[in-house]
């Protein structure tokens, strides 16, 4: 089956999932489970005796482990797995519990763009274009726009120098510089460009 149609659901360890279990309480004020209250596109998969629920809403995903004995409208309790990494996962479990109650997931605020991030992006775009056979002028047009190229492109001008710099930077990434970006190795000297954009 084509991967675009198959939509595989990978089951992972239940240690990272919020466990939803049926509660044996007769209190009218007890929380009741309602599958359709959880926002997003839902998929259920049998995971041993339990069900793994995945709900996708935009680019966010909620995963829950549902008890096989849990019925729609039944009273329920939520439990978190006691693991060494529990403290770091509490925010995720809290978001999953809120989604269970019908609340939309909170969107993380966007991080400010740094000069370094913009340079990384443009360098990799320039490298892709160069390897596809584009000329320096074509690369400048794609990165900076046709108007900038018409006004500022010269045989040895600053726009052409920027393209050459971006290509040198990207080739340095290819020859091991990516390890410093990934945090695997530390460069001897910190490159300029991590200051915030203005």
């Amino acid at each position: 089956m084509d991967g675009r149609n198959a939509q595989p659901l990978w089951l992972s360890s239940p240690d990272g999932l919020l466990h939803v279990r049926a509660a044996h309480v007769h209190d009218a004020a007890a929380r009741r489970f309602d599958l359709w209250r959880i926002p997003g596109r839902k998929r259920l998969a049998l995971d041993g005796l339990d069900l793994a629920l995945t709900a996708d809403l935009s680019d966010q995903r909620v995963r829950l482990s549902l008890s096989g004995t849990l019925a729609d409208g039944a009273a329920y309790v939520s439990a978190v797995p006691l693991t060494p990494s529990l403290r770091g996962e509490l925010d995720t479990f809290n978001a999953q519990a809120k989604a269970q109650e019908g609340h939309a997931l909170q969107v993380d605020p966007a991080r400010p763009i740094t000069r370094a991030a913009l340079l990384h992006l443009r360098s990799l775009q320039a490298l892709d274009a160069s390897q596809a056979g584009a000329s320096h002028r074509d690369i400048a047009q794609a990165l900076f726009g046709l108007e900038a190229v018409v006004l500022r492109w010269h045989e040895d001008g600053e726009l052409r120098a920027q393209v050459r710099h971006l290509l040198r930077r990207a080739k340095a990434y290819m020859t091991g510089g990516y390890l410093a970006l990934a945090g695997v190795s530390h460069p001897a000297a910190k490159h300029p460009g991590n200051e915030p954009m203005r």
Side-chain angles (χ1 to χ4, degrees):
M1 185 177 235
D2 189 309
R4 292 168 290 187
N5 298 325
Q7 296 180 355
L9 179 62
W10 304 105
L11 297 176
S12 60
S13 166
D15 288 346
L17 304 180
L18 184 68
H19 297 272
V20 183
R21 303 291 179 242
H24 302 290
V25 292
H26 302 291
D27 185 5
R31 295 182 301 173
R32 303 288 171 179
F33 182 74
D34 183 2
L35 178 67
W36 303 112
R37 188 179 336 160
I38 300 171
R41 181 173 177 250
K42 292 166 262 315
R43 291 183 285 168
L44 281 172
L46 189 60
D47 186 14
L49 299 175
D50 293 336
L51 295 169
L53 170 69
T54 303
D56 293 316
L57 181 62
S58 179
D59 63 338
Q60 298 177 323
R61 173 169 283 179
V62 172
R63 299 200 61 230
L64 302 170
S65 173
L66 304 178
S67 169
T69 60
L70 181 66
D72 201 43
Y76 72 93
V77 293
S78 300
V80 296
L82 189 56
T83 61
S85 60
L86 178 61
R87 184 181 298 261
E89 297 173 343
L90 285 177
D91 288 340
T92 304
F93 289 135
N94 196 15
Q96 291 171 348
K98 286 183 178 179
Q100 222 175 289
E101 294 295 320
H103 302 289
L105 297 173
Q106 220 173 23
V107 178
D108 293 334
R111 294 182 303 197
I113 297 172
T114 63
R115 182 172 180 262
L118 192 58
L119 283 171
H120 299 331
L121 173 69
R122 286 186 174 162
S123 297
L124 295 174
Q125 288 172 328
L127 180 66
D128 284 345
S130 176
Q131 289 184 336
S135 69
H136 285 193
R137 187 179 175 101
D138 292 337
I139 294 170
Q141 184 175 331
L143 293 178
F144 305 110
L146 178 61
E147 184 178 333
V149 171
V150 169
L151 295 174
R152 297 171 25 213
W153 186 264
H154 304 289
E155 189 62 31
D156 201 29
E158 57 88 20
L159 200 56
R160 188 166 189 178
Q162 281 189 43
V163 171
R164 287 194 304 257
H165 171 72
L166 292 172
L167 288 170
R168 274 195 312 273
R169 190 178 173 100
K171 288 176 183 168
Y173 294 155
M174 283 178 34
T175 57
Y178 68 93
L179 294 172
L181 281 177
V184 176
S185 72
H186 301 288
K190 190 169 182 173
H191 298 290
N194 285 330
E195 60 272 8
M197 293 290 292
R198 292 185 188 156

